[in-house]
Amino acid sequence: MSSAPEPRSSQYISFFVGGDELALDILRAREIVEITAITRVPRMPQAVLGVLNLRGRVIPVIDLAVRLGLPASVITRRSCILIVETEFDGELTRMGLFIDAVGDVVDLDAAAIEPPPPFGTRARQGQLVGLGKVGERLLLLLDIDRILSPEELFAAASLEAEGGARAALPGAPPQGEPAGAGSS
């Protein structure tokens, strides 16, 4: 039985990462911005490119390809940053997703959404809400809260390098405290 959350909206914004078409609930997308200066922050997990200043607000930027276990994204003329809201400790926080290109807004009714497959996708099953069927295309519908959770980011980072320091992302556990410690 899947523990994926039920889709909250019937509209999704699609985008491309590593040759795959993905989508997320349009209610979580805030804006699309051009690639701009991203300030690297030392000792961050590999998927965290750094932070950007968006109208005076500091926004962490995640390379979604790396987060999904793919090779790092390369900047092209279609590359952009999708600003999304994700939940950290019960509060909505804005983060940027470095993506290859934006697709379009897709309407999906419940009959067009299949449960996540147990195999064959680049995202782990717990990171998916389901598969959306749009004509002959299939969209991987991402659970953005799960993909961008501090626990998931730091679990991936611990696989990258043993003993690395934890980064100061919103909701990140304090230095020396294991991911997930103190939360119930």
Side-chain angles (χ1 to χ4, degrees), residues 26-99:
I26 198 162
L27 296 176
R28 302 313 281 284
R30 291 294 158 241
E31 63 185 294
I32 300 161
V33 298
E34 292 180 11
I35 299 294
T36 183
I38 297 173
T39 304
R40 297 207 44 85
V41 179
R43 304 183 76 137
M44 286 287 204
Q46 183 179 358
V48 180
L49 294 176
V51 295
L52 68 87
N53 181 347
L54 184 62
R55 295 182 297 281
R57 197 171 187 176
V58 176
I59 308 284
V61 178
I62 309 298
D63 184 340
L64 190 54
V66 172
R67 181 65 194 93
L68 296 175
L70 302 170
S73 295
V74 176
I75 296 176
T76 68
R77 64 181 188 86
R78 294 188 57 192
S79 299
C80 57
I81 299 172
L82 175 62
I83 305 297
V84 298
E85 278 188 338
T86 185
E87 193 171 315
F88 283 122
D89 295 329
E91 293 184 31
L92 290 178
T93 301
R94 290 195 180 185
M95 296 185 78
L97 300 177
F98 182 89
I99 58 175

